Amino acid sequence: MPLLRLHQVTKRYAPDQPPAVDGLTLIAEQGEVVALLGPSGCGKTTTLRLIAGFESPDSGSVEIRGETMAGPGRWVPPEERGVGIVFQDYALFPHLTVEANVAFGLHRLDRLAQRLRVAEILELVGLEAFGRRYPHELSGGQQQRVAVARALAPAPALILLDEPFSNLDADLRAQMRDEVERILRNTGTTTIFVTHDQEEAFTLADRVGILNSGKLEQLDTPEEIYHQPATQVVAEFVGAADFLPGYVTSEGIVTELGVFPNMEGRGARECVEVMIRPDDITFTPWANGEAVLIHRYFRGSENLYCLRLPSGRRVHSSQPSTAVYPMGTRARVEAHVIHVVTFPSSPGASTAPSEASPMQFE
């Protein structure tokens, strides 16, 4: 039995507005970490609030451990769902010590049991020496661990993390990802966390769900999400992606950059869009090359080049950080696509150059 099941859950905040969550079906197994990934406004936080009980669904049902928490004729309040939550801003009580914050949800235990549980959890998160401090006396990373400790203290069936690392700087964010993952794995706690950061989702999660306009586009392992996106929306959001027009023939899929294997069994004469990742593209500076380097994005560990093809279409190529070429350099481009992923061309699709924002590749 799945620990969490959402079945056809819909939530609309205003009758004249599109639903924030639209027919969402989602399952999480015991001990699994599931990330919900998507742009702002896609329904990630609303989904957490529906699971926690801060919002009630207009239709559909929410089940935890096989018990219906929300559904037709059924409503279980948040405090009775066995769900812990870590908010984006941690929401620690500033007038309470670390120990008191962690003990806040343990009111059903006697004082001795509370002290023992608080000591156990603080040791788990590495804060046993900070119990008498107040939140303002802690660093951002320490405050986050207190928030996680408070959520874990009542031994919830499920813990929800809402953009848990967004308030931390880059170095601390990476450190805290590892620390929080260690804590969650050690406790075997089923976890749903929302983020707009692909690296966070891929690093922490067993499975990743891509939300778009309240709908679940795909729920799969990080590797499948990246290499075999189910929709063009997923392909565009997860990792940088360009798309080249292709035409299916008996020899394969003919594109401007060569003929690719028809690995998906597309029908002959079908028009498709072929997904191209920056690591699929290599190029060699060449005076007679038909492609032109039009932009370079220095990303520290690598350079990301944007090349304009003869058709006007653009592709991006990942190159070593020391490979620096001036803009306007002509080049010969080669595509080495390991996973050939295609999508049907939309009716009347333009063959004009892609004008996707360079920020997609940042």
Side-chain angles (χ1 to χ4, degrees):
M1 178 184 298
L3 188 134
L4 171 69
R5 183 195 300 271
L6 277 67
H7 180 68
Q8 291 294 309
V9 171
T10 295
K11 176 64 180 179
R12 191 187 302 266
Y13 288 108
D16 59 341
Q17 296 294 323
V21 173
D22 190 0
L24 178 61
T25 295
L26 174 69
I27 288 175
E29 304 291 346
Q30 175 67 49
E32 187 176 29
V33 177
V34 176
L36 297 180
L37 180 65
S40 298
C42 71
K44 303 187 301 293
T45 297
T46 298
T47 300
L48 283 198
R49 293 179 63 83
L50 288 163
I51 296 170
F54 301 145
E55 302 287 350
S56 58
D58 298 328
S59 60
S61 62
V62 177
E63 298 176 13
I64 298 176
R65 285 180 170 164
E67 180 183 353
T68 299
M69 299 290 155
R74 175 73 169 162
W75 172 258
V76 176
E79 63 272 17
E80 297 179 15
R81 294 194 177 193
V83 174
I85 186 165
V86 177
F87 297 97
Q88 185 173 356
D89 59 359
Y90 313 142
L92 299 177
F93 300 111
H95 63 292
L96 298 181
T97 64
V98 168
E99 288 178 341
N101 266 281
V102 175
F104 184 78
L106 302 177
H107 54 276
R108 296 181 180 179
L109 303 180
D110 60 42
R111 290 190 176 181
L112 176 59
Q114 283 188 25
R115 287 199 298 270
L116 292 174
R117 180 60 176 166
V118 168
E120 177 187 2
I121 292 296
L122 288 181
E123 182 179 2
L124 175 69
V125 300
L127 292 176
E128 58 268 39
F130 295 83
R132 300 300 178 88
R133 292 195 187 184
Y134 288 88
H136 72 273
E137 299 175 316
L138 303 176
S139 68
Q142 290 167 338
Q143 289 179 18
Q144 183 187 57
R145 280 187 279 170
V146 174
V148 171
R150 183 177 63 183
L152 288 173
L158 176 69
I159 190 169
L160 309 175
L161 307 177
D162 186 8
E163 300 276 7
F165 311 107
S166 61
N167 293 331
L168 305 176
D169 61 59
D171 289 341
L172 185 56
R173 187 158 59 240
Q175 176 185 335
M176 290 310 303
R177 275 202 308 265
D178 293 342
E179 186 67 17
V180 169
E181 182 182 20
R182 178 190 65 81
I183 295 167
L184 295 176
R185 301 296 183 186
N186 284 348
T187 58
T189 305
T190 305
T191 306
I192 308 292
F193 80 97
V194 304
T195 180
H196 63 273
D197 187 308
Q198 173 190 316
E199 183 178 350
E200 283 181 9
F202 282 13
T203 300
L204 277 175
D206 299 305
R207 289 188 299 154
V208 177
I210 308 298
L211 285 175
N212 177 48
S213 300
K215 293 181 179 293
L216 186 64
E217 295 277 340
Q218 186 174 359
L219 177 63
D220 218 322
T221 64
E223 293 80 6
E224 283 295 306
I225 290 283
Y226 184 82
H227 292 299
Q228 299 292 337
T231 67
Q232 197 161 340
V233 169
V234 175
E236 290 173 337
F237 188 79
V238 177
D242 296 300
F243 299 91
L244 288 180
Y247 184 71
V248 182
T249 70
S250 59
E251 303 298 321
I253 303 172
V254 179
T255 75
E256 187 174 5
L257 291 181
V259 181
F260 301 136
N262 184 11
M263 301 176 69
E264 300 168 320
R266 294 282 186 185
R269 304 174 65 84
E270 186 176 352
C271 293
V272 297
E273 294 284 324
V274 181
M275 182 184 76
I276 303 291
R277 299 284 195 194
D279 51 355
D280 295 330
I281 298 294
T282 61
F283 67 87
T284 304
W286 189 39
N288 296 322
E290 295 185 331
V292 179
L293 304 186
I294 60 174
H295 207 98
R296 177 175 69 95
Y297 305 94
F298 180 63
R299 302 168 67 174
S301 60
E302 66 174 359
N303 284 301
L304 184 70
Y305 283 95
C306 179
L307 300 101
R308 186 174 61 242
L309 303 178
S311 66
R313 287 269 176 167
R314 299 175 184 182
V315 294
H316 291 74
S317 175
S318 298
Q319 297 293 317
S321 61
T322 54
V324 178
Y325 307 104
M327 296 305 93
T329 298
R330 304 196 71 85
R332 179 173 57 194
V333 177
E334 295 181 4
H336 304 277
V337 182
I338 298 175
H339 301 278
V340 180
V341 178
T342 64
F343 302 96
S345 294
S346 57
S350 171
T351 58
S354 169
E355 294 298 334
S357 168
M359 290 302 292
Q360 175 188 357
F361 298 89
E362 289 297 304

